[in-house]
Amino acid sequence: MENQLKDVNVMNDSIEERLFIQKYEVVSKYMKEFNFNMGESEVYQSKLNEITHLITSNKININDLTQEIIQLIKAQNKEINAVDIKGVRTVAKKIFYECNAVGGISSSVVMIKLEENEIIISYKFGPDEFKTGLIELNKITEFIKIEDVLEDPHSKRYAEHAGRRLAKLWKEKSDFPEKIIITPGW
C-alpha cells in the first residue's frame, strides 16, 4: 500500500512538472513572438519561471500578468510606450488563456440557476455541468456570497468569473438566465 502511494505521488509530481514545462513554453513562446524576449539572461529566465509559477498556482490575473511583463521589460532598460503596453496586454491575455488550457483545464465557466426570488438569486458554477461551487446574490444588500467551493486548484478562478458575471447582470438590471457559459474574454 505504501509503495502504491509513493507511485501515485511520483506520478502526480511528474504530471505537475510536465504541466509547468508546457506552461513555461507558452510564456516563453509569446514573449519571443512579441519581441519581449530579453535573451538568455539569468534575470529573464528567473522571471519567466516566476510568472509561470504564478499562473500554475492561479495566483495571478491578466492585469497583474500585464504589470509583471511591463516590469520585466523596464528592468532590461527598454523603453515602453502606450502602444507597447497594449501589446503587452494582448500577450498577457494569450499567455493567461493558453496556459489555463494546458492539461485539459477548462477555460470556460458554466453557471446553472438554482433559485431566484425577490431576495436572492443563486447559481451553481464550475468548469462543466457538475457543481464546483455555489454563488448567491442577495438582491436587497447586493452582497455576493460564495460557498461550497471544492479544493480544486482552479475553483478560485471559476468563482471570480461567476462573481463578476453575477455582479454585471445585477448592475445592468438584466434577467438572470437559467444557464450561463462564460468564455475567455467575456
Side-chain angles (χ1 to χ4, degrees):
M1 178 76 163
E2 191 173 309
N3 285 339
Q4 288 175 334
L5 290 176
K6 285 181 184 176
D7 290 343
V8 169
N9 288 335
V10 168
M11 187 175 73
N12 286 339
D13 288 346
S14 65
I15 290 170
E16 287 177 15
E17 286 173 19
R18 280 185 278 157
L19 287 174
F20 179 84
I21 291 167
Q22 288 175 324
K23 290 179 182 192
Y24 181 89
E25 289 171 354
V26 168
V27 173
S28 182
K29 173 183 85 171
Y30 281 112
M31 294 295 283
K32 288 176 184 172
E33 183 179 313
F34 283 85
N35 296 318
F36 299 135
N37 183 9
M38 310 303 165
E40 299 302 318
S41 76
E42 192 174 307
V43 171
Y44 178 68
Q45 297 303 319
S46 174
K47 193 63 173 175
L48 289 184
N49 272 329
E50 180 184 335
I51 289 170
T52 306
H53 276 291
L54 291 169
I55 291 169
T56 302
S57 62
N58 287 320
K59 293 182 179 175
I60 195 165
N61 60 35
I62 293 172
N63 292 332
D64 293 339
L65 181 56
T66 301
Q67 290 306 311
E68 289 287 334
I69 296 170
I70 288 170
Q71 292 307 316
L72 179 59
I73 293 167
K74 287 181 178 179
Q76 301 296 316
N77 295 320
K78 295 198 176 199
E79 294 293 320
I80 188 160
N81 59 37
V83 173
D84 293 332
I85 291 173
K86 188 175 181 180
V88 169
R89 179 134 175 98
T90 299
V91 169
K93 283 182 178 180
K94 288 183 177 193
I95 289 171
F96 189 80
Y97 292 127
E98 191 167 324
C99 281
N100 282 327
V102 167
I105 298 165
S106 174
S107 57
S108 63
V109 180
V110 178
M111 297 173 61
I112 309 237
K113 188 191 299 185
L114 298 174
E115 179 182 1
E116 181 176 12
N117 58 41
E118 308 78 43
I119 299 172
I120 65 149
I121 177 75
S122 65
Y123 283 88
K124 67 179 181 176
F125 66 90
D128 52 37
E129 301 285 331
F130 302 101
K131 184 176 152 185
T132 295
L134 179 69
I135 187 164
E136 179 179 285
L137 167 72
N138 184 310
K139 295 178 181 179
I140 297 169
T141 64
E142 298 184 354
F143 181 76
I144 293 178
K145 177 172 71 172
I146 299 173
E147 51 188 52
D148 294 332
V149 177
L150 299 177
E151 292 300 320
D152 176 277
H154 307 288
S155 62
K156 182 179 177 188
R157 181 173 57 88
Y158 301 139
E160 287 172 359
H161 286 301
R164 283 191 211 127
R165 177 53 62 93
L166 196 54
K168 182 179 179 183
L169 290 170
W170 177 250
K171 182 180 176 186
E172 293 174 350
K173 305 288 188 234
S174 296
D175 290 331
F176 295 99
E178 294 299 315
K179 183 175 183 178
I180 302 169
I181 299 176
I182 307 166
T183 57
W186 67 275

